[in-house]
Amino acid sequence: MTVTLHVCITCRAGQTLNEGETTPGARLHAAILDFGVPEGVSVVAVECLSACSQGCSVALSAPGRWSYIYGRLSDSNAPDVAAGAAAYAAAPNGIVPWRSRPEIFRKQSLARIPPISVVSEAAE
Protein backbone atom coordinates (compact mmCIF):
# COMPACT_ATOMS: atom_id res chain seq x y z
CA MET A 1 0.00 0.00 0.00
CA THR A 2 1.30 3.44 -0.87
CA VAL A 3 1.31 6.11 1.80
CA THR A 4 1.19 9.79 1.00
CA LEU A 5 3.64 12.39 2.22
CA HIS A 6 1.97 15.78 1.75
CA VAL A 7 4.41 18.70 1.71
CA CYS A 8 3.11 22.25 2.13
CA ILE A 9 4.85 24.20 -0.62
CA THR A 10 3.35 27.56 0.39
CA CYS A 11 4.89 27.54 3.89
CA ARG A 12 6.94 30.68 4.43
CA ALA A 13 8.33 29.64 7.83
CA GLY A 14 7.68 33.13 9.17
CA GLN A 15 9.83 34.77 6.50
CA THR A 16 9.02 37.75 4.33
CA LEU A 17 9.81 36.77 0.77
CA ASN A 18 10.66 38.92 -2.20
CA GLU A 19 8.71 38.65 -5.44
CA GLY A 20 9.57 35.35 -7.16
CA GLU A 21 11.56 33.99 -4.22
CA THR A 22 11.10 30.28 -3.53
CA THR A 23 9.20 29.53 -0.34
CA PRO A 24 10.88 27.46 2.37
CA GLY A 25 8.09 24.89 1.90
CA ALA A 26 8.88 24.55 -1.81
CA ARG A 27 12.58 24.17 -0.92
CA LEU A 28 11.67 21.39 1.54
CA HIS A 29 9.60 19.65 -1.14
CA ALA A 30 12.48 19.85 -3.63
CA ALA A 31 15.00 18.63 -1.03
CA ILE A 32 12.85 15.57 -0.28
CA LEU A 33 12.61 14.74 -3.98
CA ASP A 34 16.35 15.31 -4.44
CA PHE A 35 17.17 13.13 -1.43
CA GLY A 36 15.01 10.30 -2.73
CA VAL A 37 11.51 9.13 -1.99
CA PRO A 38 11.32 5.86 -0.03
CA GLU A 39 9.63 2.84 -1.58
CA GLY A 40 5.91 2.81 -0.88
CA VAL A 41 5.74 6.59 -0.41
CA SER A 42 4.13 9.07 -2.78
CA VAL A 43 5.08 12.73 -2.32
CA VAL A 44 2.33 15.26 -3.03
CA ALA A 45 2.78 19.02 -2.97
CA VAL A 46 -0.13 20.81 -1.29
CA GLU A 47 -0.87 24.49 -0.97
CA CYS A 48 -1.64 24.69 2.75
CA LEU A 49 -1.71 22.41 5.77
CA SER A 50 -2.95 25.24 8.04
CA ALA A 51 0.14 25.04 10.24
CA CYS A 52 1.40 28.47 9.18
CA SER A 53 2.68 29.48 12.61
CA GLN A 54 4.69 26.24 12.84
CA GLY A 55 7.13 26.74 9.96
CA CYS A 56 7.33 24.22 7.13
CA SER A 57 5.01 21.27 7.58
CA VAL A 58 4.34 17.83 6.18
CA ALA A 59 1.60 15.26 6.71
CA LEU A 60 1.69 11.47 6.41
CA SER A 61 -1.49 9.53 5.67
CA ALA A 62 -2.84 6.30 4.23
CA PRO A 63 -6.23 4.58 4.25
CA GLY A 64 -6.92 2.81 7.54
CA ARG A 65 -3.88 4.33 9.27
CA TRP A 66 -3.31 7.09 11.77
CA SER A 67 -2.24 10.34 10.07
CA TYR A 68 0.40 12.74 11.39
CA ILE A 69 1.29 16.38 10.81
CA TYR A 70 4.83 17.55 11.56
CA GLY A 71 6.08 21.13 11.65
CA ARG A 72 9.07 23.36 12.28
CA LEU A 73 10.90 21.73 9.36
CA SER A 74 13.35 23.02 6.78
CA ASP A 75 15.00 21.65 3.66
CA SER A 76 17.90 20.42 5.82
CA ASN A 77 15.45 17.95 7.39
CA ALA A 78 14.78 16.11 4.10
CA PRO A 79 16.76 12.97 5.10
CA ASP A 80 14.87 12.68 8.40
CA VAL A 81 11.52 13.29 6.72
CA ALA A 82 12.32 10.54 4.21
CA ALA A 83 13.36 8.18 7.02
CA GLY A 84 10.18 8.95 8.95
CA ALA A 85 8.05 8.40 5.86
CA ALA A 86 9.75 5.03 5.24
CA ALA A 87 9.10 3.96 8.86
CA TYR A 88 5.47 5.06 8.54
CA ALA A 89 5.09 3.08 5.30
CA ALA A 90 6.45 -0.02 7.06
CA ALA A 91 4.06 0.29 10.04
CA PRO A 92 0.80 -1.55 9.30
CA ASN A 93 -1.39 0.89 11.24
CA GLY A 94 0.74 4.01 10.79
CA ILE A 95 1.94 3.98 14.39
CA VAL A 96 5.73 3.88 14.38
CA PRO A 97 7.22 2.98 17.78
CA TRP A 98 8.41 6.21 19.42
CA ARG A 99 12.07 5.17 19.62
CA SER A 100 12.05 4.15 15.94
CA ARG A 101 11.01 7.62 14.77
CA PRO A 102 13.54 10.21 13.61
CA GLU A 103 14.07 12.79 16.36
CA ILE A 104 12.21 15.50 14.45
CA PHE A 105 9.16 13.21 14.29
CA ARG A 106 9.35 12.69 18.07
CA LYS A 107 9.66 16.37 18.93
CA GLN A 108 7.87 18.19 16.13
CA SER A 109 4.55 16.40 15.84
CA LEU A 110 1.69 18.89 15.56
CA ALA A 111 -1.21 16.43 15.29
CA ARG A 112 -2.10 12.77 15.22
CA ILE A 113 -5.40 12.02 13.49
CA PRO A 114 -7.23 8.68 13.85
CA PRO A 115 -8.12 6.60 10.82
CA ILE A 116 -11.54 7.38 9.41
CA SER A 117 -12.80 3.92 10.44
CA VAL A 118 -11.94 4.71 14.09
CA VAL A 119 -13.76 8.05 13.88
CA SER A 120 -16.83 6.36 12.39
CA GLU A 121 -16.92 3.71 15.12
CA ALA A 122 -16.56 6.33 17.85
CA ALA A 123 -19.46 8.34 16.43
CA GLU A 124 -21.89 5.43 16.73
Side-chain angles (χ1 to χ4, degrees):
M1 169 190 304
T2 298
V3 303
T4 303
L5 173 64
H6 306 271
V7 182
C8 179
I9 59 170
T10 56
C11 285
R12 294 175 179 258
Q15 300 175 18
T16 301
L17 302 176
N18 295 320
E19 180 77 27
E21 191 174 352
T22 304
T23 63
R27 290 195 304 266
L28 172 61
H29 179 258
I32 292 167
L33 295 177
D34 288 346
F35 181 79
V37 179
E39 187 174 331
V41 176
S42 173
V43 177
V44 175
V46 295
E47 296 219 353
C48 187
L49 289 172
S50 290
C52 302
S53 65
Q54 298 295 321
C56 296
S57 58
V58 300
L60 280 166
S61 63
R65 295 180 184 215
W66 284 81
S67 297
Y68 293 85
I69 300 174
Y70 300 98
R72 301 180 299 279
L73 303 170
S74 72
D75 52 335
S76 68
N77 297 124
D80 288 329
V81 171
Y88 179 84
N93 58 3
I95 300 174
V96 178
W98 192 82
R99 293 191 184 278
S100 299
R101 298 175 193 172
E103 187 173 347
I104 62 167
F105 278 20
R106 287 186 230 152
K107 295 185 174 184
Q108 294 167 212
S109 177
L110 303 180
R112 180 177 126 153
I113 304 160
I116 290 175
S117 60
V118 172
V119 173
S120 297
E121 292 170 7
E124 293 179 0

